[in-house]
Amino acid sequence: MKVTDLPIPAPLKQSYTTKGIKSLYPPQEEAVRCGIFEGKNLLCAIPTASGKTIVAEMVMHRQVEDGGKCLYIVPLKALASEKYEDFSEKGLSVGVATGDLDRRDAYLGRNDIIVATSEKVDSLLRNKAPWLGEITLLVVDECHLVGSEDRGATLEMVIAKLRRRNPEMQVIALSATVGNPGALAGWLDAELVTSEWRPVDLREGVYWQGAVHFEDYTREVPKPSKDDDLNLCLDTIDEGGQCLVFVNSRRNAEAFAKRAASKLKVSDPTLESAAERIEKRASTEMGRTLARCVKGGAAFHHAGLAAAERHEVEEGFRTGAIKVISSTPTLAAGLNLPARRVIVRDYLRFGQNGMARIPVGEYKQMAGRAGRPHLDPYGEAVLIAKREDACEDLFETYIAAPPEEVHSQCNAENALRSHILSLITTGFAKSRTEVLAFMETTFYAYEHQGRSSTIQETVERVVDDLVRAEMIDELDEWLEGTTYGNLVSRLYIDPRTAEAVVEALRLRPAYSDFGVLELLCETPDMLTLFLRKADYEVVDHFLAERRDELWTGVPYEYDEREHFLQSVKTAMLLLNWAEEVTDEMICERFNVGPGDIHNKVETAVWLLYATSRLAHLFAPDLERPIGELGTRVKHGIKRELLPLIKLRGIGRVRARRLFNAGLTTPEDIKNAGVRRLAPVLGEKTAASVIVQAGGTVEEREEVPDVETADEPIPKPPGEHQTSLSAFGGANHE
Ligand code: ADP
């Protein structure tokens, strides 16, 4: 099927032709035959890189041409930016919704395509963003995540709500790893395209003692080093390819990259300048290690990296300069970084129940990265067997096995509490009967058709609980959100978090930064740091001094106590950050990377904001100090810098510099004059802040040119935290 014959807008045809996309891949053809251009729903369950995104993109352009608007749901923020860049190139207006979780983001609705995570869409629904009613096409990328334990219920409810809201809306769901595509397609009233077809041949095998065993042949691997994993890389790099190596912890990723760099001995000016850039920005030992690895042609990748470091690694790999990346599974989750050989070195991973095998779906995600379309003659995915008898087992368990089936997570009481609250506060359901009727439209109900279901009991329990918590009023059979319940729903916090906060606020505690932060770290909305052995003593010592400031009780049960101590440790990190302790020191003290600091800060800022709004209702005198702590945590500053941080262009570094130069308020700045300020801020910023502070800049004065860029606050690694990053907080993900 030729691209020129498709019913898609001419500019898109042109863009495809320029990129060398002239005819459709077989699964894409099948999708067209299924009626995607006639508005049919589709589940496209085909391998990675077989052209799923383009199927969705063609329909999006067609819909926009017909006056429609498209919503594209991705699982990770990092993917949202990638899709944004990809889609923006082709003439339509694209918006990414990654902002605060309690906004309507009206401006977003002006775009033709809106890319967002499921959490963001959920919050937009709760905040009643009016443009959601205009969506004519919903694309759900990585739709197997409906089965994810921690986030699946949100995705499922979002799909169900949007379909209820816009009954005519077309749905296109995409996934490379669904074990039961028929069931998902059935729920979505969708046509189904499944296929094993790939643009690049994928060979999957198991390595054991010097050779990779594929189904029908064996490939010898030379042994220039004593390490099997490294030999597997060198083999591919020698023939002109690149490698991705998946390992199970951050430490392992870093150790492998170091070994690889020392063996590769690449010399490349591009790498040298990348390494210099990383080194220059590096605020931690990890950053400096990364710079050394990159110089040698290897890199590691995990959620502890700062955003700029991630970017360098990904770009270096895309251009072919970096030959090998060792990574925790973050990379497999969807970033488009294919390589000729993918090595799944660790198929065991430490999880909540100790060491366990990774799921088949996860293996398939990793293996699917093998083989760059148009660039590699083939792709290879290689598992490394730890024992001879593991060879056959690995073939059966991973290579020959289908990915896991996807099952609804909507019967979990904890997940449902938040979703049922939002159904009621947004008017989707006004009675218990209507809540149940809505639940009938979920995948959960579809999966349990004709079988006895416990959903009714769960719903009853959850509604009772929300009424008890005063988030919902029940009058006769009618349910209505209270002011408090409406706020909780819009703030997008777990009702259990809200309850814990309100319970503490009602006791009118004496204000304390530590008290608030520790309380928030105990809630289900914060993933706490792990405790290492050495941490117990430090945390105990800290507690001995500041126990009086706690807003919660100290538990004595072992499990609860462990969680409590983890919360104290996490609160300590946030306090350090708000006391202007350097990144380097925080990373060392807490055994984290800059990316982790950002994750914790981001979550804390959101929870502090929510807490200040709750304080407005329940303890108004505490609203202001909590709000101020939010600003301090956001910027990483002591209280004394609060007046300065209000000025645009002033971050934690510049504010500190101004303060130390004796300029402590906007009034001081207004009166200081460009000549005094420029050496601290640079001429342009100096002029801007003087004007902001109400002063005037009359003449241009000769001032020394100094480098004054504010140190960027670490950018997010891009994801919402997942349960994985609970372990990542120490050094896994
Ligand atoms: P997926 O979403 O399944 O991982 P993509 O749609 O991103 O796959 O496509 C993978 C790569 O293949 C992209 O670089 C894309 O431009 C290219 N591609 C997709 N469809 C075709 C086609 N019909 N002909 C040539 N290249 C294609």
Side-chain angles (χ1 to χ4, degrees):
M1 208 176 272
K2 288 217 180 85
V3 165
T4 43
D5 298 336
L6 295 171
I8 55 175
L12 186 65
K13 282 185 193 170
Q14 184 58 46
S15 150
Y16 284 161
T17 319
T18 319
K19 286 180 90 184
I21 303 175
K22 298 201 168 79
S23 55
L24 293 189
Y25 288 156
Q28 294 170 330
E29 279 194 37
E30 209 182 319
V32 172
R33 274 193 226 101
C34 282
I36 48 172
F37 294 122
E38 286 86 53
K40 288 273 176 59
N41 292 352
L42 174 76
L43 169 60
C44 193
I46 61 177
T48 309
S50 53
K52 290 184 290 300
T53 311
I54 285 190
V55 168
E57 189 177 58
M58 293 190 298
V59 186
M60 290 199 290
H61 280 251
R62 175 61 193 268
Q63 284 264 3
V64 172
E65 193 178 50
D66 294 343
K69 196 181 280 306
C70 313
L71 180 63
Y72 194 106
I73 298 186
V74 288
L76 307 168
K77 280 191 195 170
L79 279 174
S81 348
E82 193 184 298
K83 296 291 172 202
Y84 171 80
E85 276 161 34
D86 195 9
F87 298 151
S88 308
E89 279 174 5
K90 297 171 187 125
L92 297 188
S93 62
V94 186
V96 183
T98 51
D100 296 341
L101 286 172
D102 72 331
R103 303 276 153 82
R104 286 184 191 187
D105 294 340
Y107 64 92
L108 259 181
R110 294 188 208 129
N111 293 295
D112 302 320
I113 301 175
I114 295 105
V115 185
T117 59
S118 43
E119 284 74 14
K120 180 67 197 184
V121 179
D122 195 10
S123 91
L124 287 165
L125 278 160
R126 289 167 188 227
N127 287 286
K128 303 185 182 165
W131 54 266
L132 282 172
E134 297 163 27
I135 299 297
T136 55
L137 169 66
L138 170 69
V139 182
V140 185
D141 205 350
E142 312 284 354
C143 64
H144 55 271
L145 289 174
V146 159
S148 143
E149 226 172 89
D150 54 348
R151 299 173 59 204
T154 302
L155 180 57
E156 181 178 337
M157 292 296 278
V158 159
I159 297 172
K161 282 188 208 170
L162 283 167
R163 291 184 73 199
R164 161 71 82 88
R165 182 156 187 188
N166 306 344
E168 301 299 317
M169 179 183 73
Q170 184 178 11
V171 181
I172 294 194
L174 312 172
S175 174
T177 51
V178 199
N180 52 340
L184 258 189
W187 172 50
L188 294 171
D189 299 311
E191 305 293 318
L192 175 61
V193 172
T194 55
S195 163
E196 289 301 308
W197 184 91
R198 288 172 183 274
V200 189
D201 184 26
L202 174 66
R203 306 169 185 177
E204 294 172 89
V206 179
Y207 176 88
W208 170 248
Q209 288 202 335
V212 185
H213 303 276
F214 294 99
E215 199 177 1
D216 42 11
Y217 71 104
T218 297
R219 175 173 170 160
E220 297 294 327
V221 178
K223 286 184 150 183
S225 89
K226 63 178 183 9
D227 299 324
D228 293 333
D229 49 8
L230 200 51
N231 293 337
L232 274 165
C233 289
L234 296 171
D235 184 34
T236 298
I237 294 164
D238 281 347
E239 61 163 35
Q242 290 167 290
C243 286
L244 288 177
V245 184
F246 288 106
V247 298
N248 59 9
S249 75
R250 294 179 180 190
R251 206 175 313 134
N252 283 339
E254 291 174 24
F256 181 85
K258 279 197 253 181
R259 266 194 292 134
S262 70
K263 205 73 193 171
L264 278 171
K265 297 206 179 75
V266 189
S267 154
D268 177 343
T270 339
L271 288 175
E272 271 165 34
S273 34
E276 258 170 45
R277 284 192 299 271
I278 297 174
E279 169 93 44
K280 204 166 151 208
R281 300 181 65 122
S283 57
T284 60
E285 191 48 42
M286 183 193 72
R288 287 186 281 277
T289 307
L290 181 66
R292 283 195 296 279
C293 292
V294 165
K295 196 170 170 192
F300 52 88
H301 193 291
H302 57 61
L305 296 191
E309 292 167 344
R310 276 177 73 124
H311 183 74
E312 288 285 359
V313 171
E314 287 161 15
E315 265 317 290
F317 196 74
R318 263 188 206 116
T319 59
I322 292 177
K323 301 295 173 201
V324 52
I325 296 183
S326 51
S327 170
T328 53
T330 41
L331 203 68
L335 275 194
N336 205 1
L337 268 193
R340 185 171 303 173
R341 184 176 276 174
V342 167
I343 299 161
V344 181
R345 196 192 74 178
D346 301 333
Y347 49 87
L348 294 175
R349 186 175 53 213
F350 191 72
Q352 267 148 335
N353 305 314
M355 274 301 202
R357 287 196 164 197
I358 57 169
V360 183
E362 209 170 291
Y363 160 77
K364 301 268 176 207
Q365 288 275 359
M366 298 178 193
R369 307 270 138 223
R372 291 175 309 161
H374 317 302
L375 293 171
D376 287 326
Y378 56 85
E380 284 179 340
V382 182
L383 284 144
I384 300 185
K386 310 271 190 273
R387 297 187 317 269
E388 186 168 13
D389 58 354
C391 277
E392 203 171 320
D393 176 34
L394 288 176
F395 253 100
E396 276 171 25
T397 330
Y398 286 116
I399 299 175
E404 286 79 9
E405 293 193 350
V406 170
H407 296 296
S408 168
Q409 301 299 315
C410 266
N411 199 28
E413 209 165 309
N414 284 340
L416 269 193
R417 194 174 290 115
S418 174
H419 292 300
I420 289 183
L421 174 63
S422 97
L423 282 179
I424 296 164
T425 57
T426 50
F428 270 94
K430 297 189 184 71
S431 64
R432 289 179 192 245
T433 320
E434 286 186 16
V435 173
L436 269 172
F438 181 88
M439 294 311 291
E440 282 304 312
T441 68
T442 59
F443 183 46
Y444 182 86
Y446 183 86
E447 278 195 287
H448 292 80
Q449 280 171 62
R451 276 180 281 154
S452 75
S453 147
T454 53
I455 193 92
Q456 180 162 2
E457 287 161 31
T458 317
V459 167
E460 297 289 354
R461 260 201 316 276
V462 168
V463 174
D464 287 346
D465 199 38
L466 290 168
V467 172
R468 178 203 52 76
E470 299 172 19
M471 293 187 202
I472 290 177
D473 276 339
E474 188 164 28
L475 286 173
D476 302 325
E477 79 266 35
W478 301 114
L479 299 172
E480 197 180 13
T482 60
T483 308
Y484 168 36
N486 283 323
L487 181 62
V488 172
S489 173
R490 276 187 285 122
L491 290 171
Y492 205 66
I493 52 175
D494 190 313
R496 289 170 299 165
T497 297
E499 271 209 277
V501 168
V502 169
E503 195 183 317
L505 290 174
R506 278 176 163 158
L507 295 173
R508 303 276 156 160
Y511 178 79
S512 134
D513 293 345
F514 172 56
V516 181
L517 289 173
E518 193 284 325
L519 165 73
L520 295 181
C521 290
E522 273 194 50
T523 66
D525 282 313
M526 175 63 90
L527 292 167
T528 52
L529 297 170
F530 255 180
L531 287 168
R532 291 170 299 164
K533 270 209 190 86
D535 291 335
Y536 288 92
E537 202 186 326
V538 182
V539 171
D540 275 342
H541 185 75
F542 184 85
L543 266 179
E545 285 186 356
R546 303 188 59 171
R547 178 180 296 246
D548 291 351
E549 295 179 33
L550 283 171
W551 278 22
T552 61
V554 180
Y556 290 97
E557 293 288 327
Y558 175 79
D559 276 356
E560 283 181 31
R561 185 162 172 84
E562 190 71 5
H563 178 59
F564 166 71
L565 295 177
Q566 288 172 351
S567 308
V568 173
K569 179 179 169 184
T570 313
M572 285 166 68
L573 179 149
L574 291 163
L575 274 180
N576 271 221
W577 170 250
E579 288 296 326
E580 297 179 45
V581 176
T582 62
D583 282 18
E584 172 140 36
M585 189 72 93
I586 295 180
C587 289
E588 198 183 306
R589 279 185 191 162
F590 296 90
N591 193 30
V592 295
D596 301 306
I597 302 179
H598 185 94
N599 271 339
K600 299 293 167 242
V601 165
E602 192 178 44
T603 310
V605 168
W606 158 55
L607 290 176
L608 282 164
Y609 170 71
T611 306
S612 74
R613 297 285 305 272
L614 289 169
H616 182 77
L617 285 185
F618 294 97
D621 49 320
L622 291 172
E623 181 183 357
R624 191 172 159 177
I626 295 171
E628 282 178 357
L629 179 60
T631 310
R632 289 181 49 209
V633 172
K634 180 171 176 190
H635 297 282
I637 52 164
K638 291 186 186 165
R639 192 173 304 278
E640 64 202 24
L641 297 188
L642 280 172
L644 294 173
I645 209 79
K646 291 190 184 122
L647 298 166
R648 243 177 308 110
I650 301 300
R652 85 189 294 227
V653 175
R654 284 174 173 164
R656 175 50 58 201
R657 253 193 239 141
L658 287 169
F659 193 91
N660 291 351
L663 301 157
T664 62
T665 61
E667 191 61 22
D668 294 342
I669 303 233
K670 180 179 157 190
N671 301 327
V674 177
R675 180 164 281 279
R676 168 135 190 245
L677 274 188
V680 189
L681 297 178
E683 195 178 352
K684 234 167 118 187
T685 314
S688 148
V689 292
I690 289 174
V691 174
Q692 286 182 61
T696 45
V697 184
E698 280 165 9
E699 61 199 79
R700 288 185 67 83
E701 303 167 57
E702 277 300 308
V703 283
D705 200 14
V706 280
E707 171 73 49
T708 60
D710 210 319
E711 178 185 286
I713 293 178
K715 288 269 164 48
E719 298 75 353
H720 269 291
Q721 295 175 341
T722 65
S723 57
L724 275 178
S725 37
F727 308 110
N731 54 22
H732 285 272
E733 191 189 346

